[in-house]
Amino acid sequence: MNHIFSISIALSASALTIGILPVSAANFNSDNSSLDFSQMFIFGDSLSDTGNAFSLRGGVSPGNSLSFEDRFSNGPGSIWVEFLASSLDLNPTAFFTNFSVSPDGANYAIGGSVSGDKNINGNPRGLQQQLESFISPLLATDSSANSEALYTIWIGANDYSDPLSNTDIVVNNISNAIASLYNVGARNFLIPNLPSLGITPLATLRNTSDILNELTDEHNQKLEDAIAQLNQSLVGAKIILLDVNSLVDDRIENSSQFGFTNVTDSWSDTVLAFCPDAFFAEDGSVESCDIDVPDPDEYLFWDLIHPTEAANQFIANEALYALKSEYNQTIPEPTSTLSLFGLGISSLAISAFKQKDKQKQKQKI
């Protein structure tokens, strides 16, 4: 998505795979051997894009000097699917950077994509084109999709950049995408819902919070119903709905417990307002700025619509918790939101992607 983000609790109930899990992820064994996904395939928008939009648009996108390594965020390996993939010992490549699939899978998500066949920039690079890029080679060679892989689809926020968008169409597009992947052999799905789109700095700036929150609620209810139906009709499929909406709300309501001091403003816009020439150095520090740079890990939003690296990390943490729960790993019972977050996030903090020293972001340049 190029226009907002969402977060998660897993839902699962007997045959339906749907049932609310705790809002915060519990600490769990760092051994993820029971999550034996051999590959990971990712579809969506800028919330999951790890360089595709940058390559397809010749470096124009994301278009923010404080984006890191072509991501719509502020740190190395800072997108939630990268944290999640790393915890699964996988490293799927950004497909549209070289039009190839690695042994670990591929990421087809493109910043700006909507759930249909368009991109908010006017290009025909929506979810449908992403699916076609994955499915067409399989059909051409009479092959099947890997049934042991994990498939993620996070899409929809860009559709609602138009407040007159029809939620039925968006949810049907997502349902059809799941069915299309299932029909070529996919069986394991992780589908985040949308956070309240009206909470972003952009929505506040444009005074569109109420209508966007209404669309979000409508979208999420219909998505939950659709996934329940798909879990009944698609034999052998496991479709996990991640309730990103509740997770983000919880982080906002209890922000101080989770280390966030600002859940309303954009970190990059705050820095650039004082230092318009600021940019990231290779080590992750902010250059060309003579003020004390605020710590991005204390912000929920990286820019007007996208999450910071810290926010992406807790999304990934919740996604891992949901997968472990669904695939029957033993998970300690949650005790409190504060202790759960502190313990759970530590399992991802050791990710190879998280290399920068937090103090570098707060140093005086």
Side-chain angles (χ1 to χ4, degrees):
M1 111 190 190
N2 209 7
H3 259 72
I4 323 305
F5 73 98
S6 48
I7 303 156
S8 91
I9 45 184
L11 296 120
S12 90
S14 59
L16 292 185
T17 321
I18 293 194
I20 304 296
L21 289 177
V23 169
S24 282
N27 182 34
F28 37 77
N29 195 308
S30 59
D31 177 12
N32 300 316
S33 57
S34 67
L35 297 175
D36 194 21
F37 301 116
S38 57
Q39 290 180 301
M40 188 172 175
F41 294 97
I42 301 152
F43 304 89
D45 49 38
S46 56
L47 291 176
S48 303
D49 187 348
T50 56
N52 287 319
F54 182 86
S55 295
L56 290 170
R57 296 170 193 154
V60 174
S61 182
N64 184 323
S65 63
L66 292 177
S67 63
F68 201 95
E69 294 182 347
D70 315 337
R71 274 62 169 171
F72 290 82
S73 195
N74 62 281
S78 59
I79 303 301
W80 75 281
V81 288
E82 292 179 288
F83 286 124
L84 178 59
S86 179
S87 69
L88 298 174
D89 295 323
L90 296 173
N91 185 24
T93 56
F95 178 80
F96 294 103
T97 60
N98 58 11
F99 295 90
S100 66
V101 177
S102 80
D104 287 346
N107 185 338
Y108 295 83
I110 303 172
S113 287
V114 300
S115 65
D117 60 0
K118 294 288 189 299
N119 189 286
I120 59 171
N121 296 308
N123 300 315
R125 293 175 184 148
L127 177 60
Q128 302 311 311
Q129 283 71 32
Q130 296 175 33
L131 293 170
E132 183 179 353
S133 295
F134 174 75
I135 294 174
S136 292
L138 295 175
L139 297 179
T141 57
D142 196 25
S143 303
S144 297
N146 182 0
S147 63
E148 302 301 319
L150 176 65
Y151 298 81
T152 71
I153 304 173
W154 196 2
I155 200 83
N158 288 324
D159 292 80
Y160 301 121
S161 59
D162 177 0
L164 298 178
S165 295
N166 188 315
T167 54
D168 286 329
I169 293 175
V170 178
V171 172
N172 283 340
N173 285 339
I174 297 171
S175 297
N176 291 336
I178 295 171
S180 295
L181 291 169
Y182 175 87
N183 288 337
V184 294
R187 291 296 181 268
N188 307 296
F189 299 89
L190 187 67
I191 314 294
N193 69 6
L194 295 178
S196 298
L197 302 181
I199 67 173
T200 65
L202 182 64
T204 301
L205 186 65
R206 293 180 173 177
N207 197 29
T208 56
S209 294
D210 290 344
I211 182 62
L212 287 176
N213 286 339
E214 290 176 10
L215 284 169
T216 302
D217 291 342
E218 193 174 306
H219 170 97
N220 287 344
Q221 184 58 61
K222 291 178 180 178
L223 182 64
E224 181 178 346
D225 294 342
I227 288 180
Q229 294 172 7
L230 288 170
N231 270 308
Q232 290 179 315
S233 61
L234 302 182
V235 178
K238 284 192 176 185
I239 310 171
I240 302 172
L241 175 63
L242 293 178
D243 185 7
V244 173
N245 188 280
S246 295
L247 183 61
V248 171
D249 285 350
D250 182 59
R251 293 301 185 270
I252 292 175
E253 292 172 9
N254 302 287
S255 57
S256 61
Q257 294 181 9
F258 300 114
F260 292 108
T261 61
N262 192 316
V263 295
T264 57
D265 301 319
S266 156
W267 173 79
S268 64
D269 285 85
T270 298
V271 174
L272 292 171
F274 292 96
C275 304
D277 297 323
F279 65 94
F280 276 128
E282 290 185 3
D283 65 357
S285 62
V286 176
E287 298 286 354
S288 295
C289 192
D290 58 1
I291 66 168
D292 286 327
V293 178
D295 186 350
D297 287 353
E298 295 180 2
Y299 280 67
L300 186 65
F301 293 100
W302 164 66
D303 67 358
L304 293 175
I305 49 182
H306 298 99
T308 58
E309 180 182 30
N312 270 286
Q313 192 175 54
F314 73 66
I315 297 170
N317 196 53
E318 192 71 20
L320 183 60
Y321 175 79
L323 290 171
K324 286 193 170 192
S325 177
E326 180 57 39
Y327 288 87
N328 299 317
Q329 264 192 252
T330 301
I331 304 175
E333 196 66 28
T335 54
S336 72
T337 54
L338 178 57
S339 62
L340 292 183
F341 177 80
L343 291 170
I345 213 67
S346 66
S347 67
L348 284 169
I350 61 174
S351 164
F353 289 119
K354 185 78 171 174
Q355 297 297 326
K356 68 178 176 63
D357 180 354
K358 188 175 180 180
Q359 290 303 315
K360 288 180 180 177
Q361 292 295 342
K362 217 167 183 178
Q363 65 186 343
K364 189 170 183 178
I365 306 299

